[in-house]
Amino acid sequence: MGGAEVSLEHLYKVFTMPEGQDSKLAQIEKHLSDNLADFLSQHVVTKVNSLEQIEKSFAEYAVPEAPEFVSKHAETLLEKLVANSVNTYSPTFIGHMTSALPYFHLPLAKLLVGLNQNLVKIETSKAFTPLERQVLGMMHELVYKQSSDFYSTYLHSANHALGAFCSGGTVANITALWVARNKALPATPQFQGIAQEGMAAGMMHHGYKRLGVISSKRGHYSLSKAVDILGLGRQQMLTIDCPTQTLSAEKALKVGKQYQQEGNKALSIVGIAGTTETGHIDPLDELADVAQELGCHFHVDAAWGGATLFSQQHNKLLKGIEKADSVTLDAHKQMYVPMGAGMVLFKDPNDSNAVRHHAQYILRAGSKDLGATTLEGSRNGMAMMVYASLHIFGRKGYELLINQSIQKAQLFAKMIEQHKEFELVTSPTLSLLTYRIVPEKVQSKLSKNPKIAHALNIELDKLTVAVQKRQREAGKSFVSRTRLQIEKYPEQSITVFRVVLANPLTTELDLQNILDEQVSIALETQTWLSLTT
Amino acid sequence: MGGAEVSLEHLYKVFTMPEGQDSKLAQIEKHLSDNLADFLSQHVVTKVNSLEQIEKSFAEYAVPEAPEFVSKHAETLLEKLVANSVNTYSPTFIGHMTSALPYFHLPLAKLLVGLNQNLVKIETSKAFTPLERQVLGMMHELVYKQSSDFYSTYLHSANHALGAFCSGGTVANITALWVARNKALPATPQFQGIAQEGMAAGMMHHGYKRLGVISSKRGHYSLSKAVDILGLGRQQMLTIDCPTQTLSAEKALKVGKQYQQEGNKALSIVGIAGTTETGHIDPLDELADVAQELGCHFHVDAAWGGATLFSQQHNKLLKGIEKADSVTLDAHKQMYVPMGAGMVLFKDPNDSNAVRHHAQYILRAGSKDLGATTLEGSRNGMAMMVYASLHIFGRKGYELLINQSIQKAQLFAKMIEQHKEFELVTSPTLSLLTYRIVPEKVQSKLSKNPKIAHALNIELDKLTVAVQKRQREAGKSFVSRTRLQIEKYPEQSITVFRVVLANPLTTELDLQNILDEQVSIALETQTWLSLTT
């Protein structure tokens, strides 16, 4: 294929010598630096291939025998991969939590790889270790606002950790519940603790039939992964119906009490600060009280909504988060850091010791090696991206970004409500909202009686699915879809468009165009025809 | 501080407009591109600050209020972070598994961030999903060499996975044992399976007192993390002494049989292909038979050694790996990919379904969303780096790299053996070896009698520790240290220098200089003096 020479001399060059400034890879770099939006519009989504078509070009299963020139391979990447990837930077890509990033992350990514530090041990990371601890400290202070004494004691303490940096919110949630589980089945004079003796022995020793986690139905599916991997079992994920999209503290208390009366132990209440589907925030303050009454851990999954704390206008939405024992935050969401920057924070710096790994000669006792209290082992220096962002935006910069995204969501909600062919389903708490397309003629019929509404909703679901798919395939814009149970139709879930207004560059005109496109797609469907005649 | 304007207009620019070509960040980029080695020698390890000193510059715990200019922050990063980081690219940094990377990863890292795909869902990754599956397929074929029919059936099957891409070997090992655990306590007509009902119920239903994992003492500490998180308990990590540095199949069988006779269940044998400490490879073929006899899972941790399969000269060292139920591989080790490219492979494409998450409207059934069978959720497109490396090096290129690193280790072993002041402790199987400094005068005394040897070893340990620390602090080169039990001194662990010859650019002269430096440091120690007089 490529015909590159198979010799050590050639390979050494691949390690040390960049090709010239006119090589393909250098051209790609320059284009990325000069005008990222232009690069993406020229190279991404240039082809409208189906997934099946794309899979055909990734079907070879044997490792290629011969080396290929870098420049030649760069062309292959552009043609086969980049052309068929997703333009997450587009202002009209408003269907998921992945969005445009500030440009400085591109050169920083290059620096990160050029340094290739490994955070598992201080010997392979040095200053990156205190930097990561500082980032965790800053986020800890944002949430918990402890004293200056507190941070000077714990920020760099070898025997404590204010949290753990991890690849994402899923690992953060698992880590939080791992800590909660190990604390719930602690050592006694007759028992060495669950970390040593395991789940079955721990539950028997402490006399619990089951351990369960309580959250609303809107809880992220990583919680189910957590109860599986931690050995609780998915049935012990006690999810509570939430037609209002938030967890009722009253219901949580009732479920928890009954669960415990049956000989079980509530391990943790999980409050959500920014649900994945609708962006709602659970009543954290009340849930903290419930957790206290049940005597269990209180975890807040603020992977999406945590950054709201930067805004003095909106931070009260998260009131009570400072009572959480642990908090998950994703810097790669509303902090605009590249993918791979999750964090879990612990109110009590001793908590991470519930999962500490002691190995005298690998992670030496008293060392500051971060691998001793994280789920992951070798990790890169992604904390540098968070550090840079915290400084380049500052709290005030993030505040502006958060405020404008919520304001834009409120504007979009108004646009939907005023439009005669749309129905707003959930209003924005943060910058998420859901809506659906409902032909004007159908709207009045919907409120007639439950039976008629039920039948109409099934047709409307089809309409939403058809419009969402075709809009995605057309490639101009992307809105996602999901199914929700809402107060208005307690017996029936409905399909809705889901919008995440994460990209600061999305304009009112973009939003108007998306609605217009949806109407024009809908008009061409059979369902619209049958619904309106 | 930075004085950047706090306005939305300014923030929009941070998203869209790179600063000019003469900005600090652009200068850093250019330097990285033009001559990475020169950049590192100019900016990394320019200061010999202690960790305590470095911590002082990362002590602020509050998020900065005001935004800072990117260029100004870039200078801060150089001064505070880069200057105090570790030069993992240096040919004389031979103490850990982190090494120089081929230069093409720098521009690719920029492309990765410029695309910011999220592999959890196909809607945010599109072609990256089949690409990742292809990479897993290529590595699967390298290990398992299944038929063309096999790969055309499973490579892109929505209901199967040949493995999981993950942030590193730790998550890969946990995932493998998670699958093994869920398969060991399966559903029956009276039991819905451990994933649903949890550990305690599963063990009771299947009648096991405990579940245990068998490996040698050289097993990576991620295995202990795994048995903790999975609820087995760290005491059920049955580690077997290995004075020869490899796991005896005979001992493993004996331990496993006795364990099962006591009413327990051996969950998995873990064979290691390239131990972290010495690079030894367990007798995989024999261990596969032991696993079969015990009726348990067989996992191979080939995080380090897996890449040896590229070499036709050395791949027989891993004979039997194709019998493993699961295999861990780290592309960020001997495949020279940036940190964050772990993989677990499953021989049986159905195995990943033991941990599959079903959630009708989040990860839609029948979709190819990768999040359904991975421990992690949102993930970046790191598989692109592995894909590019597989093509740019090709199997033959990797073969040359593997061969030269083993050859270099053998050369270094010879240099140590021939040197009168050193003792080779473990010979290289792969590109790792351990040795220690033993003054010539002391060498003859060591073999006199065990009591004398015991006392001398304690002094020699001190010498090795002192030399390793001072050499690291001097900053010219880095060799790590560890403690090992070896055949010669079965009653006593000894401290040794540990070398990983990962960097293809390390020369014979580099190695000679490292030995010379160690001797000259040793000569200045009090221990040397007392040992030799």
Side-chain angles (χ1 to χ4, degrees):
Chain A
M1 277 271 293
E5 202 189 331
V6 189
S7 72
L8 276 176
E9 288 62 39
H10 170 73
L11 293 177
Y12 293 155
K13 277 190 204 153
V14 173
F15 272 82
T16 54
M17 298 228 318
E19 296 176 321
Q21 286 304 309
D22 52 347
S23 78
K24 191 70 203 175
L25 206 52
Q27 284 170 21
I28 292 173
E29 267 214 81
K30 190 165 161 20
H31 200 170
L32 285 167
S33 294
D34 290 348
N35 194 334
L36 177 59
D38 187 65
F39 173 88
L40 294 170
S41 74
Q42 271 195 39
H43 293 289
V44 170
V45 213
T46 54
K47 296 177 184 173
V48 196
N49 291 326
S50 70
L51 186 58
E52 287 65 32
Q53 285 171 313
I54 299 170
E55 283 172 352
K56 282 188 188 130
S57 61
F58 294 101
E60 177 53 51
Y61 55 85
V63 174
E65 270 291 293
E68 208 173 286
F69 281 115
V70 173
S71 260
K72 189 173 159 49
H73 188 67
E75 281 181 31
T76 309
L77 284 180
L78 276 189
E79 203 177 303
K80 287 174 63 171
L81 181 67
V82 179
N84 291 303
S85 61
V86 178
N87 188 351
T88 61
Y89 279 68
S90 162
T92 55
F93 181 89
I94 56 170
H96 283 300
M97 291 173 166
T98 311
S99 88
L101 299 176
Y103 82 89
F104 62 81
H105 283 306
L106 276 74
L108 286 185
K110 210 169 141 181
L111 179 62
L112 199 71
V113 169
L115 295 171
N116 202 34
Q117 308 290 293
N118 182 349
L119 280 276
V120 71
K121 280 183 73 74
I122 205 140
E123 286 178 345
T124 49
S125 60
K126 218 171 168 189
F128 274 78
T129 294
L131 174 137
E132 186 172 295
R133 282 180 168 271
Q134 185 185 20
V135 166
L136 289 167
M138 284 181 172
M139 300 312 293
H140 192 280
E141 203 272 342
L142 186 71
V143 171
Y144 293 113
K145 301 192 193 316
Q146 298 294 304
S147 69
S148 140
D149 274 1
F150 176 92
Y151 293 106
S152 66
T153 305
Y154 296 117
L155 194 64
H156 294 296
S157 162
N159 303 316
H160 300 87
L162 298 178
F165 212 90
C166 42
S167 65
T170 295
V171 172
N173 281 339
I174 294 173
T175 304
L177 294 176
W178 182 18
V179 163
R181 189 202 65 179
N182 284 11
K183 283 179 69 188
L185 301 174
T188 67
Q190 291 78 41
F191 177 65
Q192 295 185 46
I194 179 184
Q196 290 302 320
E197 298 204 25
M199 266 300 267
M203 288 171 69
M204 192 180 298
H205 177 78
H206 285 280
Y208 302 131
K209 285 208 305 218
R210 298 182 193 84
L211 284 187
V213 173
I214 298 168
S215 87
S216 87
K217 279 238 163 99
R218 291 278 80 79
H220 190 256
Y221 67 89
S222 56
L223 299 174
S224 298
K225 279 189 189 177
V227 293
D228 176 351
I229 200 165
L230 291 168
L232 280 63
R234 289 171 186 255
Q235 288 172 353
Q236 303 317 311
M237 187 68 232
L238 311 170
T239 51
I240 296 175
D241 271 343
C242 55
T244 61
Q245 312 308 326
T246 60
L247 177 56
S248 146
E250 202 183 330
K251 281 191 202 170
L253 182 62
K254 201 177 145 199
V255 166
K257 278 200 161 166
Q258 194 182 331
Y259 189 70
Q260 305 213 129
Q261 275 159 15
E262 290 164 2
N264 308 311
K265 163 82 184 152
L267 178 65
S268 179
I269 303 255
V270 179
I272 308 156
T275 66
T276 310
E277 307 299 296
T278 65
H280 279 74
I281 299 171
D282 286 337
L284 306 180
D285 209 35
E286 296 171 39
L287 292 175
D289 295 341
V290 173
Q292 202 179 17
E293 193 162 342
L294 295 173
C296 74
H297 191 94
F298 179 41
H299 176 64
V300 172
D301 181 351
W304 176 260
T308 312
L309 292 169
F310 290 119
S311 163
Q312 287 173 352
Q313 188 185 344
H314 297 295
N315 60 12
K316 55 185 107 26
L317 291 169
L318 274 68
K319 188 168 174 282
I321 194 171
E322 72 284 356
K323 295 184 182 170
D325 296 297
S326 54
V327 171
T328 287
L329 271 169
D330 270 346
H332 55 240
K333 295 197 166 93
Q334 289 198 98
M335 286 176 70
Y336 303 100
V337 165
M339 202 61 59
M343 282 171 267
V344 58
L345 304 169
F346 298 111
K347 184 175 192 171
D348 181 344
N350 284 301
D351 270 9
S352 59
N353 291 326
V355 299
R356 183 177 286 272
H357 179 78
H358 300 275
Q360 211 178 345
Y361 299 103
I362 302 168
L363 300 166
R364 295 186 191 101
S367 87
K368 294 185 175 175
D369 296 340
L370 294 164
T373 53
T374 57
L375 186 153
E376 292 163 281
S378 295
R379 288 184 300 107
N380 69 14
M382 186 60 85
M384 176 180 81
M385 315 303 238
V386 186
Y387 179 86
S389 299
L390 283 168
H391 284 86
I392 291 170
F393 287 122
R395 189 199 60 77
K396 287 185 180 172
Y398 274 127
E399 178 171 47
L400 283 180
L401 290 171
I402 294 289
N403 290 354
Q404 66 84 32
S405 73
I406 294 178
Q407 202 181 346
K408 203 184 296 171
Q410 288 164 348
L411 170 74
F412 193 37
K414 205 171 285 173
M415 287 162 68
I416 291 163
E417 283 184 314
Q418 286 168 357
H419 198 297
K420 59 189 192 329
E421 317 282 15
F422 287 100
E423 180 186 54
L424 185 70
V425 177
T426 61
S427 298
T429 302
L430 299 174
S431 56
L432 278 81
L433 57 83
T434 63
Y435 65 105
R436 59 179 183 165
I437 192 155
V438 184
E440 194 179 12
K441 283 189 180 174
V442 180
Q443 296 196 9
S444 52
K445 292 186 208 165
L446 264 176
S447 47
K448 275 196 180 148
N449 79 49
K451 217 165 174 181
I452 292 175
H454 193 278
L456 284 171
N457 280 333
I458 291 172
E459 292 307 301
L460 290 169
D461 287 352
K462 286 184 202 159
L463 185 62
T464 305
V465 170
V467 171
Q468 191 267 347
K469 275 192 180 172
R470 287 187 209 176
Q471 189 172 33
R472 182 187 67 204
E473 284 158 11
K476 268 190 291 188
S477 45
F478 173 70
V479 162
S480 62
R481 67 174 203 270
T482 191
R483 277 175 74 80
L484 289 179
Q485 184 198 22
I486 59 170
E487 276 185 294
K488 206 165 150 191
Y489 311 112
E491 305 299 316
Q492 180 182 28
S493 287
I494 60 167
T495 300
V496 295
F497 298 123
R498 167 175 167 268
V499 159
V500 186
L501 290 167
N503 191 331
L505 306 174
T506 303
T507 63
E508 188 176 344
L509 183 62
D510 290 327
L511 299 175
Q512 191 56 59
N513 288 340
I514 287 169
L515 293 182
D516 291 348
E517 192 187 14
Q518 290 182 325
V519 172
S520 69
I521 293 172
L523 285 172
E524 286 169 17
T525 62
Q526 196 55 48
T527 320
W528 182 281
L529 202 70
S530 67
L531 273 165
T532 53
T533 48
Chain B
M1 278 269 293
E5 201 189 331
V6 189
S7 72
L8 277 175
E9 288 62 38
H10 170 74
L11 294 175
Y12 293 153
K13 276 189 205 156
V14 174
F15 272 83
T16 54
M17 297 228 316
E19 295 176 323
Q21 286 305 308
D22 53 347
S23 77
K24 190 71 201 173
L25 205 52
Q27 285 170 20
I28 293 173
E29 267 214 81
K30 189 163 161 23
H31 200 168
L32 286 167
S33 295
D34 290 349
N35 194 333
L36 177 59
D38 187 66
F39 174 88
L40 295 171
S41 75
Q42 273 196 38
H43 294 290
V44 170
V45 213
T46 54
K47 295 177 185 174
V48 196
N49 290 326
S50 70
L51 186 57
E52 289 62 35
Q53 285 172 312
I54 299 171
E55 282 172 353
K56 283 190 188 127
S57 62
F58 294 101
E60 176 54 52
Y61 55 84
V63 174
E65 269 291 294
E68 208 173 286
F69 282 115
V70 173
S71 259
K72 187 171 160 52
H73 188 67
E75 282 181 32
T76 309
L77 284 180
L78 277 189
E79 203 178 304
K80 288 174 62 172
L81 181 67
V82 179
N84 292 303
S85 61
V86 178
N87 188 352
T88 61
Y89 280 67
S90 162
T92 54
F93 181 90
I94 56 169
H96 282 301
M97 291 173 164
T98 311
S99 88
L101 299 175
Y103 83 87
F104 62 80
H105 283 306
L106 275 74
L108 286 185
K110 209 169 141 181
L111 179 62
L112 198 70
V113 169
L115 295 171
N116 202 34
Q117 308 288 292
N118 182 350
L119 280 275
V120 70
K121 281 184 71 74
I122 205 140
E123 286 177 346
T124 48
S125 60
K126 218 171 167 190
F128 273 78
T129 294
L131 173 137
E132 186 171 294
R133 283 179 168 271
Q134 184 185 20
V135 166
L136 290 168
M138 285 181 171
M139 300 312 293
H140 193 281
E141 204 271 343
L142 185 71
V143 171
Y144 294 113
K145 300 191 193 319
Q146 298 294 303
S147 69
S148 139
D149 274 2
F150 175 92
Y151 293 106
S152 66
T153 305
Y154 296 116
L155 194 65
H156 293 296
S157 162
N159 303 316
H160 300 86
L162 297 178
F165 212 90
C166 42
S167 65
T170 295
V171 172
N173 280 340
I174 295 174
T175 304
L177 293 176
W178 182 19
V179 163
R181 188 201 66 180
N182 285 10
K183 283 179 70 188
L185 302 174
T188 66
Q190 291 79 40
F191 178 64
Q192 294 185 45
I194 179 185
Q196 291 302 319
E197 298 204 25
M199 268 298 269
M203 287 172 69
M204 191 179 298
H205 177 76
H206 285 279
Y208 302 131
K209 284 208 305 218
R210 298 183 191 83
L211 284 188
V213 173
I214 298 168
S215 87
S216 87
K217 278 235 163 105
R218 292 276 82 80
H220 190 257
Y221 66 90
S222 57
L223 299 174
S224 298
K225 280 189 189 175
V227 294
D228 176 351
I229 200 166
L230 292 168
L232 279 64
R234 288 171 187 254
Q235 289 173 351
Q236 304 317 310
M237 187 68 231
L238 312 170
T239 50
I240 296 176
D241 270 344
C242 55
T244 61
Q245 313 307 326
T246 61
L247 178 56
S248 146
E250 203 183 327
K251 282 191 203 169
L253 182 64
K254 200 177 145 197
V255 166
K257 277 198 162 168
Q258 194 182 331
Y259 189 69
Q260 304 212 128
Q261 275 159 14
E262 290 164 3
N264 308 310
K265 162 83 183 153
L267 179 64
S268 180
I269 304 257
V270 179
I272 308 156
T275 66
T276 310
E277 306 300 295
T278 65
H280 279 73
I281 299 172
D282 285 336
L284 306 180
D285 208 35
E286 296 171 37
L287 291 175
D289 294 341
V290 173
Q292 202 177 15
E293 194 165 339
L294 294 174
C296 73
H297 190 95
F298 180 40
H299 175 64
V300 172
D301 182 350
W304 175 259
T308 313
L309 293 169
F310 290 119
S311 164
Q312 288 173 352
Q313 187 185 343
H314 298 294
N315 59 12
K316 52 184 109 26
L317 291 168
L318 275 69
K319 189 168 174 284
I321 194 172
E322 72 284 356
K323 295 183 182 170
D325 296 298
S326 54
V327 171
T328 286
L329 272 170
D330 269 348
H332 55 241
K333 295 199 166 92
Q334 288 199 98
M335 288 176 69
Y336 302 101
V337 164
M339 202 58 60
M343 283 172 266
V344 57
L345 305 169
F346 297 112
K347 184 175 193 171
D348 180 345
N350 284 301
D351 271 9
S352 58
N353 291 326
V355 299
R356 181 177 287 274
H357 179 78
H358 300 274
Q360 211 179 345
Y361 298 103
I362 301 170
L363 301 166
R364 293 186 191 102
S367 87
K368 294 184 176 175
D369 296 339
L370 295 165
T373 53
T374 57
L375 186 154
E376 292 164 279
S378 296
R379 287 184 301 108
N380 69 13
M382 187 59 84
M384 176 179 82
M385 316 302 238
V386 187
Y387 179 86
S389 299
L390 284 168
H391 285 86
I392 291 170
F393 288 121
R395 189 198 60 76
K396 287 185 180 172
Y398 275 127
E399 178 171 46
L400 284 181
L401 290 171
I402 293 290
N403 290 354
Q404 66 83 32
S405 74
I406 295 179
Q407 202 179 346
K408 202 184 296 169
Q410 288 164 349
L411 170 73
F412 193 38
K414 205 170 286 173
M415 288 161 68
I416 291 163
E417 284 183 314
Q418 287 168 355
H419 198 297
K420 57 188 192 330
E421 317 281 15
F422 287 100
E423 180 186 55
L424 185 69
V425 177
T426 61
S427 298
T429 301
L430 299 174
S431 56
L432 278 81
L433 57 81
T434 63
Y435 65 105
R436 60 179 183 164
I437 192 155
V438 184
E440 196 179 9
K441 285 188 180 173
V442 179
Q443 297 196 10
S444 52
K445 293 187 208 163
L446 264 176
S447 45
K448 275 194 180 148
N449 78 50
K451 216 164 175 182
I452 292 177
H454 193 278
L456 284 171
N457 280 333
I458 290 173
E459 290 308 300
L460 290 168
D461 286 353
K462 285 185 202 158
L463 184 62
T464 305
V465 170
V467 171
Q468 191 269 346
K469 274 193 180 172
R470 289 190 206 174
Q471 188 172 36
R472 182 187 69 204
E473 284 159 10
K476 269 190 290 188
S477 45
F478 173 70
V479 162
S480 61
R481 68 174 202 269
T482 190
R483 275 175 77 79
L484 289 180
Q485 185 199 22
I486 59 170
E487 277 183 293
K488 207 166 150 190
Y489 312 112
E491 304 300 314
Q492 179 181 29
S493 287
I494 59 168
T495 299
V496 295
F497 298 124
R498 167 176 167 267
V499 157
V500 185
L501 290 167
N503 190 331
L505 307 174
T506 303
T507 63
E508 189 177 342
L509 182 62
D510 291 326
L511 299 175
Q512 190 55 59
N513 289 339
I514 286 170
L515 293 182
D516 292 347
E517 192 187 15
Q518 291 181 326
V519 173
S520 69
I521 293 172
L523 286 173
E524 288 169 17
T525 61
Q526 195 54 48
T527 319
W528 183 281
L529 202 70
S530 65
L531 274 166
T532 53
T533 48

